[in-house]
Amino acid sequence: MVCEGETEKGYFDSLHRNPEVRLHTVRTRKAKHPQREVVVATAARALENAYTRVWAVFDTDGADVRDLVARAHKEDVEPVPSTPTFETWLILHLDDHRAPLLSGDKAERRLKALLPRWSKGATDFTDFAHGLDKARSRAEGLPSGCDPCTSVHLLVGALLRTG
């Protein structure tokens, strides 16, 4: 799984503690601008290393990512976009949020309001595990390509062999 953010890496690295989860997490270099294209390209290169399945987890930040999603599929990479950011997925563990989040900053503020002890650099799956089933159901109910939406439930389902 290739991702661009510390929140994603913290979530998936801590999910990896589950003995049933086989996952190698790679985080692209931190940058000031979205790295979604780099995430997909890095994921495509990872297929050369004999991984059986490669996922590219990235934020849309409100951008139209249909071409990037199509490119990922063409390169046999499973795209996992979240609009506006990965924090959307975390919010869905705690709340059936359907109103537009508009930006990563607003998503982070909403998440912090729901879970005051949360911080980007210390994201841990155990803080969200209790709401996983609800998050998956809520994510499935959000229209694709809208704000908010996420495909992380597909990756988590595959990792936990439940979806």
Side-chain angles (χ1 to χ4, degrees), residues 38-100:
V38 173
V39 169
V40 171
T42 302
R45 283 192 306 274
L47 285 168
E48 298 167 6
N49 294 320
Y51 288 106
T52 56
R53 200 164 185 187
V54 179
W55 301 79
V57 178
F58 56 90
D59 301 338
T60 70
D61 296 302
D64 182 349
V65 296
R66 287 179 288 192
D67 288 345
L68 182 60
V69 167
R71 185 177 345 139
H73 283 299
K74 186 177 178 183
E75 298 187 25
D76 293 324
V77 170
E78 300 285 342
V80 186
S82 292
T83 301
T85 60
F86 183 81
E87 284 76 11
T88 300
W89 169 245
L90 301 179
I91 289 167
L92 294 174
H93 287 72
L94 307 168
D95 184 39
D96 190 11
H97 189 94
R98 295 178 178 273

Side-chain angles (χ1 to χ4, degrees), residues 1-6 8-10 12-13 16 23-30 35 38-47 49 51 53-58 155:
M1 192 264 319
V2 180
C3 62
E4 65 180 321
E6 62 186 322
E8 295 93 318
K9 184 150 175 37
F12 287 109
D13 282 351
H16 186 253
L23 175 70
H24 179 164
T25 306
V26 175
R27 182 172 165 237
T28 59
R29 201 173 287 196
K30 190 173 182 177
Q35 297 290 299
V38 173
V39 169
V40 171
T42 302
R45 283 192 306 274
L47 285 168
N49 294 320
Y51 288 106
R53 200 164 185 187
V54 179
W55 301 79
V57 178
F58 56 90
L155 169 54

Side-chain angles (χ1 to χ4, degrees), residues 21-22 53 70 93 99 119 136 155:
V21 174
R22 295 185 59 210
R53 200 164 185 187
H93 287 72
S119 69
R136 291 181 65 201
L155 169 54

